[in-house]
Amino acid sequence: MSQAPMQLYGYFRSSAAYRVRIALALKGLACESRPVNLRTGEHAFPEYQAVNPQCLVPTLVTFAHSLTQSLAIIEYLEEIHPEPPLLPRQPLERARVRALALTVACDIHPINNLRVTHYLADPLDQDEAVRQRWSQHWIGLGFEAIERELAASAFTGRFCHGDEPGLADLCLIPQVYTARRVAAPLDAYPTILRIDAACRQHPAFQAARPEAQPDAPPELRN
């Protein structure tokens, strides 16, 4: 069997890697999975540091080049394989979609990822209940703003922007998955939940879900 032209280094539960997996699946691009276990510290091993000096996931390796940062990777995929598009054609609409995506990728996710919660635990000595409340707070703050935008905008359709999934959905759905994992209340966000339900019926989102990944624990895999 020939090697896939791209390799994606990621972790099954990483929401940033989850975004890239959805993009690859939507575009039908072949990609070999290279799991990096964040829980056991594989991301800090010298072998992976040589691939990604930040020691973060995801990393997409293509043509012997390592691409990092999920949104940069997704934009690359959009440029090399523009169909189906992840961004609308009109500049104002593109800006709206990017803003929704960045609300998740820049304002919610970075302060709730594993290295932040680990730092809260050690050296800041915060217990699991405090760390969970931390995550719930920042997710709720971001989701309140996203819900207002989605509920009020005429651009919102079956998905975040129109009736086909795009960049905003790629960022939102992994964050909803994380919200459920940390037991964040979601009843106040009916539009987000409606879009999440639509995405979870889509084959590309189903293929990219954490439970479907080869490095998911057997008790979660399905």
Side-chain angles (χ1 to χ4, degrees), residues 141-208:
L141 201 63
F143 275 13
E144 286 171 13
I146 291 172
E147 176 68 24
R148 285 196 296 270
E149 165 59 30
L150 292 174
S153 176
F155 288 123
T156 304
R158 184 164 182 252
F159 298 97
C160 287
H161 194 91
D163 294 324
E164 298 296 334
L167 180 64
D169 307 283
L170 269 61
C171 291
L172 179 62
I173 297 326
Q175 191 62 60
V176 174
Y177 173 87
T178 298
R180 289 194 174 102
R181 188 166 59 83
V182 300
L186 296 175
D187 289 347
Y189 318 119
T191 314
I192 289 176
L193 291 177
R194 176 181 63 75
I195 292 169
D196 176 66
C199 288
R200 286 189 287 114
Q201 295 300 312
H202 194 289
F205 287 80
Q206 292 176 355

Side-chain angles (χ1 to χ4, degrees), residues 51-81:
V51 175
N52 184 334
Q54 260 194 305
C55 300
L56 300 174
V57 295
T59 302
L60 184 77
V61 176
T62 181
F63 301 111
H65 290 278
S66 294
L67 306 179
T68 64
Q69 295 295 332
S70 62
L71 292 190
I73 293 170
I74 291 168
E75 293 261 4
Y76 167 77
L77 297 175
E78 179 80 343
E79 290 172 0
I80 66 165
H81 199 286

Side-chain angles (χ1 to χ4, degrees), residues 29 38 47 86 90 98-99 110 123 128 132 137 140 168 193 199 206:
L29 295 173
L38 302 184
E47 296 85 353
L86 300 178
Q90 296 302 317
R98 284 192 172 107
E128 184 176 354
Q132 185 176 41
H137 171 77
L193 291 177
C199 288
Q206 292 176 355

